[in-house]
Amino acid sequence: MAVHSLEHARGLAMSDSLAATLNELASEIIGLGIDTVSVQRIEKMIVQYGDRFIDRVFTETEKSYCGAYKESSERFAGRWAAKEAVVKALGVGLAQGVCWKEIEIDARSHGAPKVRLTGMAEQVCMQLDVSQVLVSISHCSGRCIANAFAVKNTKDPVEDS
């Protein structure tokens, strides 16, 4: 069998139904954002500005979640990176009217992060026909990294549990 492209080669290793599902999902992703931040940087901001910084950037839900951990700075840094990734996935910036607290990174029942948008961030999603923003956060060696996918209206959105 001749291989016509890299995509064709990858496609040979999976079933037609899986390939169709992946292609459909890929066509529904309209934005991708990624961000990384040093835990030490966020820790320094917390020490320097205290509650002023935390109250300006994080919602009550986020403050409660992060505060429940011994290493809360790492959790705050993960949420910071996730918020930045969401802004990038939506193709907007904080200078365009989206506020930090309009992007809330909550936790699903099994611990995975979920995004809740309000205000201008929610309006941007409606304008782009985005039904959900998926996010992933990782912590390693004093850094946090997060990525976000803005997904156009799909038939089967990811459960919010």
Side-chain angles (χ1 to χ4, degrees):
M1 174 180 287
V3 176
H4 306 289
S5 66
L6 183 57
E7 280 82 10
H8 184 233
R10 287 184 184 137
L12 294 175
M14 65 178 88
S15 72
D16 289 341
S17 63
L18 178 57
T21 300
L22 291 175
N23 284 334
E24 182 179 331
L25 178 60
S27 69
E28 298 296 332
I29 296 172
I30 63 168
L32 166 65
I34 189 166
D35 193 68
T36 183
V37 67
S38 159
V39 174
Q40 185 178 18
R41 176 180 172 219
I42 299 303
E43 201 168 68
K44 183 179 175 183
M45 303 266 289
I46 292 170
V47 168
Q48 186 173 355
Y49 299 106
D51 287 341
R52 269 189 9 214
F53 167 70
I54 291 174
D55 291 341
R56 182 172 178 221
V57 175
F58 302 101
T59 67
E60 292 301 319
T61 299
E62 291 167 325
K63 292 188 289 187
S64 176
Y65 174 84
C66 296
Y69 286 86
K70 182 180 177 187
E71 297 295 327
S72 63
S73 296
E74 182 178 74
R75 302 298 166 166
F76 281 120
R79 266 130 183 86
W80 173 282
K83 288 172 183 259
E84 287 276 5
V86 168
V87 165
K88 292 172 184 176
L90 296 176
V92 297
L94 297 170
Q96 292 149 321
V98 175
C99 300
W100 285 111
K101 291 170 81 171
E102 294 176 347
I103 303 167
E104 181 178 78
I105 311 300
D106 198 359
R108 298 178 194 280
S109 60
H110 58 282
K114 70 176 177 179
V115 178
R116 185 174 299 117
L117 302 172
T118 59
M120 182 64 76
E122 184 178 34
Q123 288 177 18
V124 168
C125 281
M126 290 189 308
Q127 290 169 355
L128 296 173
D129 198 26
V130 169
S131 62
Q132 60 184 333
V133 178
L134 305 174
V135 69
S136 177
I137 304 171
S138 186
H139 314 85
C140 184
S141 301
R143 294 204 67 82
C144 293
I145 188 167
N147 61 32
F149 292 92
V151 181
K152 198 167 181 146
N153 277 320
T154 61
K155 296 172 191 141
D156 299 316
V158 174
E159 293 296 317
D160 277 346
S161 59

